[in-house]
Amino acid sequence: YLNIGGNGLTEFNESIGSLIRLKYLYFDVNQISTIPDCISNLSSLETLFCKDNKLLELNQSIGNLSSLKMFFFGKNKIDSIPDFIRNFSSLESIGFSFTNITTLPDWLGDFDSLRSLDSLGNALSSVPSSLSNLTSLIEICCNQDQQILFESVIPDHECIDFYCN
């Protein structure tokens, strides 16, 4: 477990890549603009919080973190959900609140184990019908006007807790 959040950091020390047994990494509320390639060495990582930084994109090396169960990258200037997130077959929670994301990829509905989705503060104009495949989904955090979008594609939306702003 490593929490380096809220320290005003502007970059990572490359030695973080040597923590190969690390399961939880929190570096939210900093000033980091780039995630270094060495993060790909953290093959045991299950939780990654990189919220509220200065990220414009998510480094491709994150795609090697195939053990990720929780991934939160909200409050950054990211404008799309990268395709490499598809590699996270055990993903249970994803959060991209208050980013510049306006569309969700169709493959987001492929995560059998996804339980929680946080899209609050984004200007989503639609959601893919593939989200109806998310049978484990129990929680959605979204803008109040987007709840209708989610409900229109998720047949059992009565079983989902909506947290809306």
Side-chain angles (χ1 to χ4, degrees):
Y1 178 92
L2 179 60
N3 185 345
I4 53 175
N7 286 302
L9 300 175
T10 56
E11 62 185 13
F12 270 100
N13 184 320
E14 291 285 329
S15 65
I16 201 163
S18 65
L19 303 173
I20 58 174
R21 292 188 186 144
L22 188 65
K23 289 187 182 267
Y24 308 98
L25 175 58
Y26 298 84
F27 63 93
D28 42 344
V29 194
N30 279 298
Q31 303 294 314
I32 294 172
S33 59
T34 305
I35 299 172
D37 289 339
C38 67
I39 200 164
S40 67
N41 297 339
L42 306 179
S43 58
S44 298
L45 201 63
E46 294 179 0
T47 300
L48 178 59
F49 275 74
C50 53
K51 301 183 314 183
D52 204 359
N53 275 283
K54 303 289 182 192
L55 299 172
L56 298 176
E57 64 182 5
L58 295 171
N59 187 324
Q60 182 71 33
S61 61
I62 295 172
N64 295 329
L65 304 176
S66 59
S67 297
L68 272 186
K69 293 181 180 179
M70 298 179 71
F71 185 33
F72 292 88
F73 54 94
K75 290 191 177 180
N76 283 290
K77 304 252 187 254
I78 295 165
D79 60 9
S80 65
I81 298 176
D83 280 343
F84 63 73
I85 290 179
R86 298 172 99 161
N87 298 339
F88 306 155
S89 59
S90 300
L91 194 66
E92 296 176 3
S93 297
I94 186 168
F96 46 91
S97 59
F98 299 100
T99 59
N100 296 327
I101 293 172
T102 57
T103 59
L104 302 180
D106 285 334
W107 51 258
L108 197 57
D110 295 340
F111 290 108
D112 296 334
S113 55
L114 192 67
R115 298 174 53 79
S116 174
L117 187 148
D118 182 356
S119 67
L120 184 65
N122 290 303
L124 298 178
S125 56
S126 65
V127 295
S129 60
S130 64
L131 295 187
S132 65
N133 300 330
L134 299 175
T135 57
S136 297
L137 193 64
I138 58 171
E139 177 181 274
I140 295 176
C141 187
C142 63
N143 297 348
Q144 194 165 22
D145 60 331
Q146 294 169 2
Q147 181 175 348
I148 296 166
L149 295 174
F150 284 102
E151 288 177 345
S152 70
V153 299
I154 300 173
D156 293 331
H157 63 267
E158 299 87 15
C159 302
I160 295 175
D161 288 329
F162 283 93
Y163 299 95
C164 301
N165 183 353

